[in-house]
Amino acid sequence: MRDSRPVSTRWYRRSLTARSLWRDVAHACRLDADDPVAEWKTRAAELDRLASIANAGRRRALRFRGPGTDLEVGLFGTSRWVSAADRTTSGHDHYANLPSEDIFTTPDPDRVSGYLTIWRGRPLSDGRVVQDALRRFEDGRVVEVRGEGAADGLRARIAVDAFAVTDAGDEIPVVAGGAWAL
């Protein structure tokens, strides 16, 4: 359906939206701070501290529970929690992903069991959207999908490759905030 507002009004609204989006991006990246580099160094140190605490725990698995979710994800014995902060071989600080507010580790993709529900719409590669989709896992494989929207598309992808859409086999991020705990 064509937007009936005058071109100048449409442009103005889009430019306001784009400006507010970039303002939000700048804020999330701490570019509005007096010293953004110092802010990121402080944040990176806090995330590295939290990763050290998580590594000291040496957990064999993580359990996620909530509405529509009861999922256990196993960890390798060698899994390490890290943040996006790193140092190049030449000694320069490097942040792989900004803004970064999490620490993460690699799970054992063969040790994912339980169920997980996607509540918000999630696009598939063909553009269709899956929502309210429950995925049940056994030994790292999706064995059942129930849901609305394009749940059939999700089932079709799983029929070809049971690991293709697990989202549990790539990485586990944990957002590090004030109420954060492992």
Side-chain angles (χ1 to χ4, degrees):
M1 179 175 193
R2 188 174 182 284
D3 191 336
S4 60
R5 292 175 294 175
V7 172
S8 60
T9 304
R10 290 193 312 254
W11 176 85
Y12 179 73
R13 295 211 18 101
R14 276 197 306 266
S15 66
L16 280 179
T17 303
R19 276 193 295 241
S20 65
L21 172 64
W22 282 113
R23 215 174 12 256
D24 291 346
V25 169
H27 177 72
C29 290
R30 295 176 168 80
L31 299 177
D32 55 357
D34 289 338
D35 187 348
V37 173
E39 290 278 331
W40 277 112
K41 286 184 179 186
T42 299
R43 184 60 180 153
E46 174 65 6
L47 291 172
D48 285 343
R49 185 184 74 77
L50 294 171
S52 293
I53 292 169
N55 285 324
R58 301 304 306 154
R59 286 171 172 67
R60 297 181 37 80
L62 298 173
R63 186 81 179 254
F64 299 92
R65 289 189 184 140
T69 298
D70 186 359
L71 187 70
E72 184 170 300
V73 180
L75 301 177
F76 291 112
T78 56
S79 291
R80 304 288 301 160
W81 290 91
V82 296
S83 74
D86 204 355
R87 187 167 290 262
T88 65
T89 55
S90 58
H92 293 91
D93 290 333
H94 173 72
Y95 301 92
N97 185 29
L98 292 181
S100 180
E101 299 295 334
D102 62 1
I103 61 173
F104 53 92
T105 192
T106 304
D108 180 345
D110 292 333
R111 293 180 45 222
V112 180
S113 295
Y115 57 92
L116 171 71
T117 301
I118 303 170
W119 296 104
R120 292 180 296 182
R122 175 140 189 204
L124 295 175
S125 58
D126 64 6
R128 295 185 302 153
V129 177
V130 177
Q131 52 197 21
D132 298 341
L134 180 134
R135 291 180 290 178
R136 192 167 56 83
F137 296 83
E138 288 179 7
D139 300 322
R141 286 196 159 81
V142 178
V143 295
E144 178 184 9
V145 175
R146 288 182 280 167
E148 302 298 318
D152 62 324
L154 196 54
R155 281 190 287 275
R157 288 186 59 200
I158 292 166
V160 173
D161 182 358
F163 296 109
V165 290
T166 64
D167 287 347
D170 299 336
E171 87 177 23
I172 298 176
V174 175
V175 176
W180 181 85
L182 270 180

